[in-house]
Amino acid sequence: AHLRAGAASGWDFSSRWLADGKSLATIQTTDLVAVDLNALLFRYEEIIARAFSLAGNATQAEAFSQRAAQRKAAIMRYCWDAQAGFFVDYNWRQQQPSGQLSLAGIYPLFVGLATAEQAARCQGVLEKQFLQAGGLLSTPVSTGQQWDAPNGWAPLQYMACRGLMQYGYTDLADRIRKNWRDMNEKIYADTGKMMEKY
């Protein structure tokens, strides 16, 4: 079940799902509340609430607004790791943050639910632990899994840049964008191919 859930997540596979952060033998995907999934659900609930409001259905608009507010409160309570200064998955079995840093933690910035203080701390972590000459690492951990260091994935670069820009961190977003673009251009010039991941 843990392997199937990890594969279905799209992050197949990553240290974010591993209890020890290293070995696939310790995979615990179904024990984790995924921060990225919940941030997206928050945003969708907001969109649905707005659609109901525009359609004149105040009852459903209010119901989805309340769902979004409850989900935001839960993300803040369970997925914000104050010690790490970053959003992480929450281990519901152990009743604590997973402690595994991954770019899934930028989704709360991307959907605009992070506070200004949280965004400031996240940008510091991104710069110190994720930023490389070729863009952002998916995780700062090297395990041999494709969603870990040294690999980066285009959608995560985009979401990190957009999230940072929403909170005013355009200099860091520009550096990420330039590093990612330069690396893509170099590899294309060398191979004639665009890659799934770099």
Side-chain angles (χ1 to χ4, degrees):
H2 293 308
L3 287 167
R4 286 194 303 270
S9 75
W11 286 64
D12 50 340
F13 289 100
S14 168
S15 58
R16 77 182 279 205
W17 307 132
L18 310 179
D20 69 357
K22 299 173 188 171
S23 170
L24 198 56
T26 68
I27 194 165
Q28 59 176 359
T29 317
T30 65
D31 295 348
L32 301 172
V33 175
V35 64
D36 47 354
L37 173 61
N38 278 280
L40 289 174
L41 289 171
F42 158 79
R43 185 67 183 117
Y44 295 145
E45 287 162 345
E46 283 193 326
I47 291 168
I48 293 168
R50 179 156 168 71
F52 272 122
S53 180
L54 291 172
N57 188 332
T59 302
Q60 286 295 335
E62 178 59 26
F64 275 93
S65 289
Q66 287 179 7
R67 288 181 190 180
Q70 289 169 349
R71 190 174 305 275
K72 179 178 179 177
I75 291 168
M76 294 299 202
R77 178 177 177 186
Y78 296 110
C79 296
W80 173 247
D81 187 334
Q83 185 175 353
F86 210 70
F87 288 94
V88 297
D89 301 319
Y90 181 79
N91 189 312
W92 62 267
R93 262 189 216 283
Q94 296 177 356
Q95 298 186 0
Q96 64 185 18
S98 71
Q100 304 295 338
L101 296 181
S102 76
L103 279 188
I106 54 89
Y107 278 66
L109 279 70
F110 178 67
V111 301
L113 71 78
T115 66
E117 181 183 343
Q118 288 168 331
R121 295 196 62 200
C122 286
Q123 70 87 28
V125 172
L126 286 173
E127 190 168 25
K128 289 179 182 136
Q129 297 193 48
F130 289 87
L131 184 61
Q132 299 292 313
L136 296 172
L137 301 168
S138 296
T139 74
V141 179
S142 184
T143 62
Q145 299 299 329
Q146 70 171 344
W147 284 80
D148 285 325
N151 297 329
W153 293 78
L156 296 175
Q157 312 296 314
Y158 170 77
M159 285 185 268
C161 289
R162 292 291 298 183
L164 288 165
M165 290 166 64
Q166 286 189 101
Y167 288 89
Y169 297 104
T170 53
D171 288 346
L172 179 55
D174 288 344
R175 283 174 55 204
I176 294 165
R177 188 170 41 242
K178 181 181 184 319
N179 290 6
W180 181 254
R181 185 189 64 231
D182 289 352
M183 190 237 348
N184 277 254
E185 289 174 354
K186 179 188 182 316
I187 291 177
Y188 185 78
D190 291 347
T191 67
K193 299 175 187 174
M194 297 297 291
M195 307 294 181
E196 175 190 32
K197 65 179 184 287
Y198 291 88

